[in-house]
Amino acid sequence: MRRSAWGLSLSAARENAPAVQSTGISPTHLTVVALAVGAAIAATGGALFTVSVQAVTPETFGLDLVFLAIFMPIIGGRGSAWGAPLGALIVVGVTLNMPGYQGSGELLLAVVVLAVLLLAPGGVIGWTHRVARRLRSSRNQDRR
């Protein structure tokens, strides 16, 4: 998607809207379409969540659920399309498999998020890319 003509146009519009406008592409139109696609994906997720919960009330979206949704892309990696799904797998896996999560688990998750922000600002995916780059550069230096 990122390497398609539409994805490249979106990236270019983010970086330099006047340049994209000069090619005859409307940055406003690109932004509206991107927001509509994002809204459609979010609506699909909301519909699936509603089906799994069976009913939606104001109590359904407590502060803990909102924080979990915010933590997911932070832990996975905000700069990647796979960051949010990876963060969701990590957060859901940790919260479902952690006995006594409701007590001190929320505090532990907040500490993990702070550690990720400090030690790996790009999330798990960014950290993985950084480690892979270091390994490649050390391997290239060993060959010389």
Side-chain angles (χ1 to χ4, degrees):
M1 178 98 161
R2 289 182 180 189
R3 294 182 182 155
S4 69
W6 192 71
L8 291 174
S9 299
L10 272 174
S11 296
R14 182 187 64 221
E15 299 298 326
N16 193 348
V20 172
Q21 182 74 38
S22 69
T23 64
I25 299 172
S26 170
T28 306
H29 178 73
L30 286 173
T31 304
V32 169
V33 170
L35 288 173
V37 169
I41 292 169
T44 303
L48 292 172
F49 180 76
T50 303
V51 168
S52 70
V53 175
Q54 301 289 324
V56 177
T57 63
E59 292 80 26
T60 305
F61 297 101
L63 197 55
D64 55 340
L65 184 65
V66 172
F67 279 126
L68 287 178
I70 291 171
F71 289 166
M72 289 174 186
I74 292 173
I75 291 174
R78 294 169 299 200
S80 169
W82 292 103
L86 177 63
L89 285 173
I90 292 169
V91 168
V92 169
V94 167
T95 56
L96 290 179
N97 296 322
M98 186 184 304
Y101 170 74
Q102 295 300 329
S104 61
E106 294 169 356
L107 177 63
L108 179 64
L109 189 61
V111 169
V112 168
V113 169
L114 286 175
V116 167
L117 286 172
L118 292 173
L119 303 174
V124 173
I125 290 180
W127 178 79
T128 306
H129 287 299
R130 193 170 61 208
V131 168
R133 233 178 295 131
R134 283 185 189 163
L135 290 174
R136 271 188 247 122
S137 68
S138 69
R139 197 176 331 142
N140 289 340
Q141 288 177 356
D142 290 342
R143 290 181 184 170
R144 293 179 188 172

